[in-house]
Amino acid sequence: MILTFTDFGREGPYLGEMAAVLRRLAPEVPAVDLMADAPAFRPDLAAYLLVALVERSVMPGDVLLGVVDPGVGGSRAPVALLADGSWLVGPDNGLFEQVRRRAAQAREFRIAWRPERLSATFHGRDLFAPVAARLARGERHDLVPDALTRFPEQPDDLAAIVQLDRYGNAMTGLRAACLPPTAVLEAGGTSIAHARAFVEAPAGQPFWYVNSSGLIEIALAGGSAAAHLGLAPGTPVACPPA
Amino acid sequence: MILTFTDFGREGPYLGEMAAVLRRLAPEVPAVDLMADAPAFRPDLAAYLLVALVERSVMPGDVLLGVVDPGVGGSRAPVALLADGSWLVGPDNGLFEQVRRRAAQAREFRIAWRPERLSATFHGRDLFAPVAARLARGERHDLVPDALTRFPEQPDDLAAIVQLDRYGNAMTGLRAACLPPTAVLEAGGTSIAHARAFVEAPAGQPFWYVNSSGLIEIALAGGSAAAHLGLAPGTPVACPPA
Amino acid sequence: MILTFTDFGREGPYLGEMAAVLRRLAPEVPAVDLMADAPAFRPDLAAYLLVALVERSVMPGDVLLGVVDPGVGGSRAPVALLADGSWLVGPDNGLFEQVRRRAAQAREFRIAWRPERLSATFHGRDLFAPVAARLARGERHDLVPDALTRFPEQPDDLAAIVQLDRYGNAMTGLRAACLPPTAVLEAGGTSIAHARAFVEAPAGQPFWYVNSSGLIEIALAGGSAAAHLGLAPGTPVACPPA
């Protein structure tokens, strides 16, 4: 299976053009658009969402095509990472840092292959998708063993908002294990207690819960936690002292 | 074929994660995302849209995976309905009431199966999608014959707005047979006459027509009927006395 | 491969219902949603985007199902165009004018086939999708050789905005060859110079570049060119005298 993770949005032809390349070059491999609204231009935030999704939905033999690539057209390298049997293909900008760091076994490659026609702004379609399609078919040419760039400034868990959903729920980069259910978070100047699910949350008050990706998320039953608390991607969250 | 009908929206990883489960467990079965913006948290409204879509686009042997599930994590049961040869899988909250009621032959089941990992908030991915994928492959384990909850408060046709589209057209829960073309509807304090299609509608005036799902819809050529008339999901529509 | 190009948006059931028809009638043919937010109701603008996408992503043997169809339910004919080995299926309203004009070999047909159930407003699902699915399988019944309507008022390149993306980048109907990199465009009363890519653009200033479809596009690094310059689909762009 090929799974795509991008910040393209679903507007315009971008996702469709990339999907067409995948179906053209690997028609027998199922392709799933896992997410198209990853934090825009922010591989440093998207990394936390990506690793959570990879742990749940990407299996050995799969290829994750990850494109959050503000430096497209510049000098960042195209890379491939084989992490515990799953391939990740995309830019070398920190997007895969958390996956690499948590992998029991990781092999790292620079992509030396270049297409005949390479646009300056759409390497997802022109470069990464062909490589991903070939890897999904078991072909692996023009991958040069080479370490990915390290991003030591990324913590293992990120005490910040990484993503808002359509209802105004705000996902953080913190895993469930970071906080006991008795902990009180602070975000947007407000103290936030835990609830197990929306049906158990107090009316009119924001709460935090462990979302379906295993990340701490701040929500407000029947309302927008993001609007209520003034949260946006990057807004810090304060954890209680351990 | 597996068809999904949800209120997830296309933001975030939800639709993608559910699609990945379907492709993983039933790779040979085509899966189509029929609709992802069903009336949010409103199975009582979504039921009318769902039944119209099922009548047009779901065939015997298909599986409709329907998730409009505000009670996820609470006590509502997961159910499966075999309606005239088509399976429907989802929560027991009235979403399938119209399909069940109109079916010539209906067999009703409670889903007893539970996955190893069941999140509190995403039964679409963890519970309903695996059951749907197995049904699509002809496997039917852990379905216990059991009547779905009845929702007698749902009328056979709903004189209210159930859905707005991107252009501000407002779909009602009324089937075409409810109204002769000479009838005048009332919505948002305005009287609304019939036109057969947009190209035949009077300029600047809202009109009603029978939409492509066979439901009465209120529109305004070149404008937003919803904005013009102040319509939202749930807004009542007044039919003329028969 | 079947590729769809529409102005349906991804809201509502429209794209899903059409996809279901394609999978039902041609389950063995990959289907890709190339774009669903083509300029709404504007085949005259969409024609320039479509031809650029066809040149990159549509191959001989493919079928492009193109539905930007404000005249649905009126008298415009349904047509099919065989352009250099690729089929295009849709309304005879100028949407295919640029593809036809640039094709080395074009064969033109009127679709005489009608479905048993033809809604007044959704020919994409009821008429065009079944024809596209059959063409993709090599079946070609009820196509009558007949010239498509000519739209001589469409220039070969359009000096206007044809599409905005989610970031406020504004695509024009001008191909790269129209302008040397030294040229200065004018749009929204502002002079706009060239940059090769976002990473090379001057901060805070709109620039133009050749986008990944080969069209001239106006952008603003880290901001919305559309908001900054007041651009919308149809806004004229002034090219320098050649």
Side-chain angles (χ1 to χ4, degrees):
Chain A
M1 189 180 295
I2 302 171
L3 303 103
T4 61
F5 174 94
T6 74
D7 66 348
F8 297 172
R10 288 192 168 76
E11 296 86 0
Y14 310 109
L15 209 60
E17 290 184 271
M18 198 169 76
V21 171
L22 296 175
R23 302 312 309 265
R24 187 88 61 198
L25 298 181
E28 75 289 2
V29 179
V32 168
D33 165 23
L34 189 56
M35 183 156 183
D37 60 345
F41 312 127
R42 296 292 302 265
D44 58 322
L45 300 180
Y48 295 90
L49 196 44
L50 178 62
V51 71
L53 293 174
V54 165
E55 288 180 352
R56 265 245 176 221
S57 292
V58 178
M59 304 284 165
D62 288 348
V63 179
L64 186 291
L65 171 51
V67 191
V68 177
D69 192 14
V72 65
S75 62
R76 65 97 192 92
V79 293
L81 170 68
L82 182 60
D84 297 331
S86 300
W87 283 101
L88 291 93
V89 173
D92 184 30
N93 62 9
L95 180 61
F96 300 154
E97 171 75 10
Q98 296 298 320
V99 173
R100 186 196 58 71
R101 210 185 280 180
R102 293 190 205 166
Q105 292 205 310
R107 295 179 57 194
E108 309 173 36
F109 304 87
R110 185 169 38 81
I111 298 169
W113 177 80
R114 290 294 178 278
E116 273 180 56
R117 296 172 70 183
L118 179 65
S119 66
T121 51
F122 197 1
H123 290 193
R125 175 193 67 190
D126 297 338
L127 197 160
F128 296 125
V131 170
R134 286 187 194 112
L135 282 171
R137 306 189 67 192
E139 302 165 24
R140 193 199 301 194
H141 63 80
D142 274 351
L143 294 189
V144 179
D146 196 2
L148 270 64
T149 303
R150 264 52 184 166
F151 292 82
E153 69 277 17
Q154 284 192 14
D156 288 344
D157 286 271
L158 185 70
I161 303 303
V162 297
Q163 174 83 357
L164 305 180
D165 76 12
R166 73 188 300 217
Y167 300 119
N169 303 323
M171 205 179 293
T172 74
L174 298 166
R175 283 172 284 185
C178 297
L179 286 184
T182 53
V184 173
L185 269 185
E186 203 174 292
T190 303
S191 292
I192 300 164
H194 173 262
R196 198 183 61 86
F198 283 75
V199 291
E200 298 179 4
Q205 281 181 37
F207 64 99
W208 71 263
Y209 71 110
V210 178
N211 75 11
S212 59
S213 299
L215 294 172
I216 306 281
E217 183 164 319
I218 300 170
L220 176 64
S224 164
H228 190 81
L229 298 167
L231 308 178
T235 304
V237 169
C239 290
Chain B
M1 190 178 297
I2 303 172
L3 304 103
T4 60
F5 175 94
T6 74
D7 66 348
F8 297 172
R10 287 190 170 77
E11 297 86 358
Y14 310 108
L15 210 60
E17 290 185 271
M18 200 169 75
V21 171
L22 296 175
R23 302 313 309 264
R24 187 88 62 198
L25 298 180
E28 76 288 3
V29 180
V32 168
D33 165 24
L34 189 57
M35 182 158 183
D37 60 345
F41 313 126
R42 297 291 301 264
D44 58 323
L45 299 180
Y48 294 90
L49 195 44
L50 178 62
V51 71
L53 293 174
V54 164
E55 288 179 353
R56 265 247 176 220
S57 293
V58 178
M59 304 285 165
D62 288 348
V63 180
L64 186 292
L65 171 52
V67 191
V68 177
D69 193 14
V72 63
S75 62
R76 64 97 193 91
V79 293
L81 170 68
L82 181 61
D84 298 331
S86 300
W87 283 101
L88 291 94
V89 173
D92 184 30
N93 62 10
L95 181 62
F96 300 153
E97 171 76 9
Q98 296 298 320
V99 174
R100 186 196 58 70
R101 211 185 279 181
R102 293 191 206 165
Q105 292 204 311
R107 295 179 55 195
E108 309 172 38
F109 303 88
R110 187 169 37 80
I111 298 169
W113 177 78
R114 290 295 178 278
E116 273 181 52
R117 294 171 73 182
L118 178 65
S119 65
T121 52
F122 198 1
H123 290 195
R125 176 192 67 190
D126 297 337
L127 198 160
F128 296 126
V131 169
R134 286 187 195 112
L135 282 170
R137 308 190 65 192
E139 302 165 23
R140 191 198 305 195
H141 62 82
D142 275 351
L143 295 189
V144 180
D146 196 2
L148 271 62
T149 304
R150 263 54 184 166
F151 292 81
E153 70 277 18
Q154 284 191 15
D156 288 344
D157 286 271
L158 184 71
I161 303 302
V162 297
Q163 173 84 356
L164 305 181
D165 76 12
R166 73 188 301 217
Y167 300 118
N169 303 322
M171 204 180 292
T172 73
L174 298 166
R175 283 172 284 186
C178 297
L179 287 183
T182 53
V184 173
L185 269 185
E186 203 174 292
T190 302
S191 292
I192 300 164
H194 173 260
R196 197 183 62 87
F198 282 74
V199 292
E200 299 179 4
Q205 279 181 39
F207 64 99
W208 70 263
Y209 72 110
V210 177
N211 76 11
S212 59
S213 299
L215 295 172
I216 306 282
E217 183 163 320
I218 300 170
L220 176 66
S224 164
H228 190 81
L229 298 166
L231 307 178
T235 303
V237 169
C239 291
Chain C
M1 190 179 297
I2 303 172
L3 303 101
T4 60
F5 174 94
T6 74
D7 66 348
F8 297 173
R10 287 192 169 78
E11 296 87 359
Y14 311 109
L15 209 60
E17 290 183 272
M18 199 169 76
V21 172
L22 296 176
R23 302 313 309 265
R24 186 90 61 198
L25 297 181
E28 76 288 3
V29 179
V32 168
D33 164 24
L34 189 57
M35 182 158 183
D37 59 346
F41 314 126
R42 296 291 302 265
D44 59 322
L45 300 180
Y48 294 90
L49 196 43
L50 178 63
V51 72
L53 294 174
V54 164
E55 288 180 351
R56 266 244 175 223
S57 293
V58 178
M59 305 285 165
D62 288 347
V63 180
L64 187 292
L65 170 53
V67 191
V68 177
D69 193 12
V72 63
S75 62
R76 64 97 193 92
V79 293
L81 170 68
L82 181 61
D84 297 333
S86 301
W87 283 101
L88 290 92
V89 173
D92 184 30
N93 62 9
L95 180 62
F96 301 153
E97 171 75 10
Q98 295 298 320
V99 174
R100 187 195 58 70
R101 211 184 279 180
R102 293 190 205 166
Q105 293 205 311
R107 297 180 55 195
E108 308 173 36
F109 303 87
R110 188 170 35 81
I111 298 169
W113 177 78
R114 290 294 179 278
E116 273 180 55
R117 295 172 71 182
L118 179 64
S119 65
T121 52
F122 198 1
H123 290 195
R125 176 193 65 191
D126 297 339
L127 197 159
F128 296 126
V131 169
R134 285 186 196 112
L135 283 170
R137 306 190 66 192
E139 301 165 24
R140 194 198 302 193
H141 63 81
D142 275 352
L143 294 189
V144 180
D146 196 1
L148 271 63
T149 303
R150 264 52 184 166
F151 293 81
E153 70 277 17
Q154 286 192 13
D156 288 344
D157 286 270
L158 185 71
I161 304 302
V162 297
Q163 174 82 358
L164 305 180
D165 75 11
R166 72 188 302 217
Y167 300 119
N169 302 323
M171 204 179 294
T172 74
L174 298 166
R175 282 171 286 184
C178 298
L179 286 184
T182 53
V184 173
L185 269 185
E186 202 174 292
T190 302
S191 293
I192 299 165
H194 173 260
R196 199 182 61 87
F198 282 74
V199 291
E200 298 178 5
Q205 279 181 39
F207 64 100
W208 70 263
Y209 72 110
V210 178
N211 74 13
S212 59
S213 299
L215 295 173
I216 305 282
E217 182 163 320
I218 300 171
L220 177 64
S224 165
H228 189 83
L229 298 166
L231 308 177
T235 303
V237 169
C239 291

